[in-house]
Amino acid sequence: MSFTVTGTALRTVREPLLSPFGFKGGALTELWQVVVRLETEDGRHAVGVGLQSVLWSDGAVFRALGEEAGNRAMRAMTEHALSLVKGRSFASPAAMIEALLPEVYAYGRTVTGRGDLRKTFALNALVALDHAAWQLTASEAGSEDLLCLAGGPAALSERQETLAKIPLITYHTDKAEIARLAAAGTALFKIKIGADPDGDGDRAKMLAWDKARLFEVHTLLKEYRTPLTKNGHIAYYLDANGRYDTPERLAELLTAAGEMGALERIVLLEEPFPEEERFDVSALPVRIAADESAHSREDVLERIALGYGAIALKPAAKTLSVTLSMLEAASAHGIPCFVADLTVPPQLVEFNKNVAARIAPLPEMLCGVLESNGAQNYRNWEAMML
């Protein structure tokens, strides 16, 4: 089901956050929503939605350029991608992304001034375009079910009746909000670790802060029960965003987790080390998940070889096209996957739900899971839902 692009349009909406959203040692104050329109030679058109997250995509760009300039750089990459597709034909959305990614990545290295730009930054810039291309494919086939159209791996054959919503506990989430979420029935909490409390990059201070934060959260949550986990306890999903420098330092955190009784609650520990590191994690006592370090099928296979036991799927951050190839690789090796958020808008929450409902649950869970934290973080969430 090929398509030829004859027209494009781009719009950006800057959505403010309720409070600073802290992770990776930094904090966001707003997130740029990107909307792309593609038109084809046969008169069809489609609209795709994307979300720019510069700090998540490449923390070095965020620190070097700042929040607004970093967003402008990513938006320029999306504009460049639209200039590249106009007048061209593609056999599929996946073929389009495969053709565009090297060119958009090279352009991104120029506009950010960083030769070491992470590929995730380029994929993030392509999400809205990929989303629109899948809509075009669906319209040609007369279907609204993008994932059935995709075919894809056998792992998409699951049909979860229930999805446990995973809220995000940032550096700034207060105890009252954590307790409120637990009382409301939350079964799995995503907890940001890797703080830089004094802004000086001191890893010893980071470790001390993380131990104290985990103790604080565990003390609040340890007595709650849930019917959605196999052991009946609330589960924890720690996200380090590449802030740990060695397995030994991470092991110190996990030793502390064991001493406080939290280790058995940790079902995922996501992306502890910088992407360029190739540490074997098979000896660590928790399941280590890859996120930012996995941009492709090849990356997934490399991380599995290093002992990683789960893969975060982010169709709203790395494109659906790339996500499907990653899922296929992980499933072939029996590695569980889960859908992680990017503080996406309501339209992309629904998109993420469709992927999350079609993959197997994490081994410790009795249902599927989906991270979704937009309602916690956007100032105008109710208006965005209209």
Side-chain angles (χ1 to χ4, degrees):
M1 298 181 181
S2 62
F3 57 94
T4 301
V5 179
T6 56
T8 66
L10 173 64
R11 184 186 175 195
T12 306
V13 178
R14 299 168 62 161
E15 288 290 350
L17 302 179
L18 284 166
S19 60
F21 182 176
F23 63 103
K24 281 194 178 183
L28 300 171
T29 64
E30 66 176 5
L31 286 166
W32 291 21
Q33 322 291 311
V34 177
V35 182
V36 162
R37 176 185 170 99
L38 297 181
E39 300 171 1
T40 64
E41 61 181 353
D42 57 0
R44 290 180 297 120
H45 70 272
V47 173
V49 180
L51 181 280
Q52 296 190 174
S53 187
V54 175
L55 178 55
W56 175 82
S57 297
D58 195 320
V61 172
F62 186 87
R63 289 187 291 274
L65 299 184
E67 186 170 18
E68 177 153 348
N71 272 303
R72 292 194 184 282
M74 187 181 287
R75 187 184 189 281
M77 292 166 68
T78 305
E79 287 181 303
H80 183 65
L82 291 177
S83 73
L84 293 173
V85 298
K86 196 168 183 179
R88 292 171 66 177
S89 298
F90 301 97
S92 67
M96 180 190 73
I97 295 302
E98 184 177 3
L100 290 179
L101 184 56
E103 297 179 74
V104 173
Y105 178 67
Y107 181 77
R109 292 170 67 184
T110 298
V111 297
T112 62
R114 300 197 64 87
D116 60 349
L117 182 70
R118 298 181 65 252
K119 286 187 179 177
T120 302
F121 200 88
L123 286 171
N124 196 170
L126 289 169
V127 166
L129 185 56
D130 180 74
H131 192 211
W134 279 104
Q135 305 285 346
L136 285 176
T137 303
S139 68
E140 184 177 357
S143 171
E144 295 183 357
D145 191 339
L146 305 188
L147 296 179
C148 277
L149 278 175
L156 284 175
S157 62
E158 295 277 343
R159 294 294 183 272
Q160 302 298 333
E161 294 184 2
T162 301
L163 292 175
K165 179 182 175 182
I166 308 172
L168 179 62
I169 305 305
T170 72
Y171 303 151
H172 306 290
T173 306
D174 62 31
K175 291 191 289 185
E177 175 64 4
I178 296 170
R180 185 193 69 78
L181 290 166
T186 298
L188 176 56
F189 281 79
K190 182 174 182 177
I191 304 162
K192 288 289 186 182
I193 59 174
D196 188 0
D198 294 328
D200 57 6
D202 188 318
R203 290 294 192 341
K205 293 178 183 177
M206 174 193 76
L207 178 59
W209 191 97
D210 286 350
K211 288 179 181 179
R213 180 60 161 167
L214 183 56
F215 181 79
E216 178 181 62
V217 173
H218 180 58
T219 300
L220 283 167
L221 299 180
K222 63 183 180 181
E223 301 302 329
Y224 284 92
R225 304 286 295 182
T226 174
L228 301 181
T229 63
K230 289 183 179 178
N231 65 11
H233 295 297
I234 287 176
Y236 307 155
Y237 157 15
L238 307 185
D239 185 7
N241 286 118
R243 292 278 296 148
Y244 276 72
D245 53 343
T246 66
E248 291 75 20
R249 197 183 304 275
L250 183 63
E252 285 190 59
L253 175 67
L254 297 176
T255 296
E259 292 170 350
M260 69 181 76
L263 186 64
E264 65 179 15
R265 310 286 183 93
I266 301 172
V267 300
L268 294 167
L269 200 164
E270 183 179 288
E271 214 63 79
F273 308 115
E275 177 185 339
E276 63 273 12
E277 298 292 354
R278 300 294 189 273
F279 294 124
D280 190 299
V281 301
S282 55
L284 292 169
V286 296
R287 182 182 296 109
I288 305 298
D291 182 6
E292 295 99 318
S293 63
H295 321 287
S296 66
R297 177 189 186 91
E298 292 72 27
D299 291 338
V300 167
L301 296 175
E302 179 183 56
R303 294 292 152 173
I304 291 172
L306 291 170
Y308 283 66
I311 304 295
L313 302 178
K314 283 191 169 172
K318 301 178 187 175
T319 74
L320 176 61
S321 295
V322 169
T323 294
L324 292 176
S325 66
M326 292 170 59
L327 174 60
E328 186 172 35
S331 299
H333 288 79
I335 299 298
C337 296
F338 60 99
V339 177
D341 199 19
L342 195 68
T343 315
V344 296
Q347 302 95 322
L348 290 179
V349 172
E350 297 304 312
F351 181 52
N352 281 342
K353 280 182 184 177
N354 269 293
V355 180
R358 302 188 195 213
I359 60 178
L362 293 168
E364 297 83 1
M365 301 298 298
L366 295 173
C367 64
V369 299
L370 173 66
E371 182 195 355
S372 179
N373 61 71
Q376 293 175 260
N377 290 296
Y378 283 109
R379 185 181 301 168
N380 302 317
W381 180 257
E382 295 299 323
M384 293 168 70
M385 292 181 67
L386 298 178

